[in-house]
Amino acid sequence: MNKTWRLIRLMLKMQFSMAGKSSGEKIGYLFLLIFAIPFSLFIFYAMDGIIGGLYEVLAPLNNESFILGILFISMFCLFIFISLGSIISSFYFADDIEAFISLPYQPYQIMLGKSAAPFLTLYVTNAAILAPALLIYGGYSDAGVLYYMYAILIWLVTPLLPFVLTAIVIMYLMRFLNLSKNKDRIKIVAGLLTFAFIIGLNIILRLDSGSNQLGEDLGQLFMEQNALLELVTAFFPSAYLSSISLTQPGTLLGFFYLVLLFLMTFGIFFIYLTAGQKLYFKGVLGLSAGSKNHLNEKKVTKHIKQKNVLYMSWMKEMKIMLRTPTFFTQIIVQSLVFPVLFIVIVVFDTGNSSLSAASIEPMLEGTDEKYIVLAMLGFTVFALGINPASISSVSRDGKSWFNHLYMPLQPKTVISSKVLAAFTINLVTLLVISVIALAFINIPAVIVSVWLVLSLITNWVTSVVGTSLDLYMPNLKWTDEREIFKGRMIGILALVIEVVLFGSMILILWKSAFITGLWATTIVLAVLLAVFTFVSHLILKKMIHNHFYSIAS
């Protein structure tokens, strides 16, 4: 057991240790912690409204236990979604797998070590969602000390069951199915499922304008369909046992269900260890299986022909982002999250929110076209600034960056292809915003066309700025692709630079009384953006000259 704990500590240090981290990365973690505070308050407020509305309806009928049942079922499903990608990535596709296999450890010990980092991710989610929900329910139900003691114990074991069950299923599939050639597709599908879950959850939450009203409506629904709720809960025995334990903490039945929950959890955990001992190594070793496809000389000859170097370098960057699961989810999918969430807010908001389509259209009537263009451009700067495509341009190469030192490619070509790839990814965001503006908000096509041209120039400048920063402070020593996006100050720094740069320009034009109308504003913006483009290229050229060959050392 001592060896297992040492292995777990070693793997956690490899993932989360601050040793070797730059000061920028440490500051990045601090900023993430600061930003988490208002986000946690928002979650607490939303859950308080939903749980309060449900409790008011269900408590008089002695059905308040259904609130906890719904909560635990939701957490179970959420943990499965989170576990899918993290288990596949950590257990099978991390770069350090082969090194650990050669060490004198049992398969279940290495599996437990690889479980530590994904499991901590679940506990962060558990602390952000389940912990405040249990506190809120305890407040509404005037629960005693025994409730909170039970709640702490149940909180500790809640992530265990969905994580273990998901891991057992994945290990079984990786052992008995031919997944080696489809491993990237599996991780991509897991990322897309998570994206769909986020969007679906937001659609549900936006279907009603107030969380209290939403809670009352859900309460009314469950009051009419108690039999259906009991049936659904029956498929989640852990949710049922947890709910009864917390609603009847002072009874023998509540204590019995709590003990039964722990026995069931640890019984399945023992099965998890057994499955890991029998299946884990076989699944890992199966990933290195070679392909049985024979070389097709005609196909090879067809693809061997001279092509433009910049185009091929750009294609390589695009394929890396599309085919590498972590890059696909962190860059491609993330580029869709912000605009798609905006569509959800605009289209599915049935209340009187200032962001709904019904509220935005009247505001635009009679507004000077100058302000519409400036507002759209400001929104675009923020949407482009939070996309990590450019700020990971150099870091994505990792240790393979050394290849650029002896390949017959000009540094300018290599960096230009990375800028062009980031520009291409951001085009998706611009196209989605265009659809929103034309189809849902009914902004005139002329204004949208002008905005799109200006946004393309802005897109290029932000891509150059992000790539320049990543060339100046890259992270090439990662062992897992996720390290490129965790805790780096560069993302916040790039966003701050772009907001200050473009925000100052927009603010000055907004306050300038002598510049009015669409075309005058457009001409001034085009000139300023041209200046920004020229200056950014000078900076990028200097960065290439000073850092392209030196960052490898």
Side-chain angles (χ1 to χ4, degrees), residues 10 28 35 62 65 128 147 165 187 254 302 348 364-365 377 431 440 444-445 493-494 507 526:
L10 173 64
F35 290 146
N62 292 321
S65 61
Y147 164 86
L165 290 175
K187 294 174 72 176
K302 181 180 178 181
F348 292 95
L364 297 179
E365 295 180 1
L377 191 61
L431 292 176
F440 299 113
L493 180 60
L507 183 62

Side-chain angles (χ1 to χ4, degrees), residues 160-421:
L160 191 62
L161 194 59
F163 179 85
V164 165
L165 290 175
T166 304
I168 291 173
V169 172
I170 290 175
M171 284 191 290
Y172 183 86
L173 292 175
M174 296 299 291
R175 167 63 184 90
F176 293 104
L177 296 180
N178 182 22
L179 298 179
S180 59
K181 64 180 181 181
N182 295 316
K183 60 181 182 179
D184 287 349
R185 293 187 180 92
I186 296 170
K187 294 174 72 176
I188 289 173
V189 169
L192 289 175
L193 287 175
T194 305
F195 172 68
F197 178 80
I198 294 172
I199 298 301
L201 180 63
N202 276 273
I203 291 176
I204 293 173
L205 293 177
R206 299 299 301 186
L207 287 177
D208 200 283
S209 57
S211 55
N212 280 304
Q213 185 62 39
L214 175 62
E216 293 175 5
D217 292 344
L218 288 173
Q220 189 67 30
L221 175 64
F222 294 140
M223 186 173 61
E224 295 172 358
Q225 300 182 7
N226 281 337
L228 177 61
L229 182 61
E230 291 175 3
L231 178 63
V232 173
T233 309
F235 288 99
F236 298 87
S238 61
Y240 180 78
L241 295 175
S242 301
S243 303
I244 298 300
S245 300
L246 290 177
T247 51
Q248 303 179 36
T251 65
L252 185 61
L253 180 65
F255 177 75
F256 174 73
Y257 277 175
L258 180 66
V259 174
L260 191 59
L261 173 66
F262 273 77
L263 290 176
M264 180 182 67
T265 301
F266 289 115
I268 295 178
F269 186 75
F270 177 77
I271 297 174
Y272 169 63
L273 295 180
T274 305
Q277 182 69 16
K278 299 291 184 182
L279 301 175
Y280 182 53
F281 271 10
K282 295 178 182 178
V284 172
L285 295 174
L287 293 175
S288 60
S291 174
K292 296 182 180 180
N293 296 331
H294 296 287
L295 179 65
N296 190 320
E297 294 184 8
K298 292 183 178 180
K299 289 185 178 180
V300 174
T301 305
K302 181 180 178 181
H303 287 86
I304 297 178
K305 55 183 178 180
Q306 187 172 358
K307 295 182 180 179
N308 181 270
V309 176
L310 179 60
Y311 170 77
M312 292 307 298
S313 299
W314 170 77
M315 281 295 297
K316 185 199 75 170
E317 294 293 331
M318 295 300 298
K319 287 179 179 179
I320 288 174
M321 286 189 282
L322 290 170
R323 294 177 179 179
T324 307
T326 302
F327 296 156
F328 181 84
T329 54
Q330 294 287 337
I331 298 175
I332 308 297
V333 174
Q334 185 166 316
S335 69
L336 294 172
V337 169
F338 185 77
V340 172
L341 282 179
F342 188 66
I343 290 180
V344 170
I345 293 173
V346 170
V347 176
F348 292 95
D349 195 330
T350 58
N352 296 318
S353 171
S354 60
L355 290 177
S356 64
S359 302
I360 293 177
E361 283 190 54
M363 292 170 54
L364 297 179
E365 295 180 1
T367 303
D368 191 339
E369 294 173 337
K370 159 189 171 179
Y371 298 112
I372 298 176
V373 171
L374 292 175
M376 291 180 66
L377 191 61
F379 178 82
T380 304
V381 170
F382 180 77
L384 298 178
I386 61 176
N387 190 338
S390 61
I391 58 173
S392 62
S393 297
V394 176
S395 299
R396 286 195 300 267
D397 289 341
K399 297 173 183 176
S400 65
W401 178 264
F402 290 95
N403 297 336
H404 296 302
L405 301 183
Y406 55 81
M407 289 183 65
L409 289 176
Q410 293 293 326
K412 181 180 178 181
T413 303
V414 175
I415 299 300
S416 296
S417 67
K418 295 178 178 295
V419 174
L420 191 59

Side-chain angles (χ1 to χ4, degrees), residues 106-139:
Q106 293 293 325
Y108 80 91
Q109 292 175 317
I110 295 179
M111 182 195 66
L112 285 176
K114 301 299 290 184
S115 301
F119 207 64
L120 282 181
T121 304
L122 293 187
Y123 268 105
V124 171
T125 307
N126 206 29
I129 300 178
L130 183 60
L134 293 176
L135 287 174
I136 292 169
Y137 180 87

Side-chain angles (χ1 to χ4, degrees), residues 43 50 108 124 138 196 208 309 322 329 337 456 465-466 479 485 494 498 508 521:
I43 292 178
I50 295 173
Y108 80 91
V124 171
D208 200 283
V309 176
L322 290 170
T329 54
V337 169
L456 291 175
V465 170
T479 56
F485 308 98
E498 291 159 11
I508 292 173
T521 305

Side-chain angles (χ1 to χ4, degrees), residues 466-536:
T467 304
S468 300
L469 286 173
D470 198 38
L471 184 60
Y472 181 72
M473 52 175 76
N475 178 14
L476 301 177
K477 298 180 180 180
W478 50 266
T479 56
D480 189 325
E481 293 94 342
R482 290 175 295 178
E483 296 175 24
I484 298 175
F485 308 98
K486 292 191 304 183
R488 295 184 68 201
M489 184 64 182
I490 184 173
I492 299 173
L493 180 60
L495 182 60
V496 169
I497 291 174
E498 291 159 11
V499 169
V500 171
L501 185 68
F502 293 102
S504 302
M505 175 188 70
I506 292 172
L507 183 62
I508 292 173
L509 291 178
W510 192 284
K511 296 293 185 179
S512 299
F514 58 89
I515 300 176
T516 58
L518 175 62
W519 300 113
T521 305
T522 302
I523 292 172
V524 175
L525 282 172
V527 172
L528 291 175
L529 290 174
V531 173
F532 290 166
T533 304
F534 177 74
V535 174
S536 64

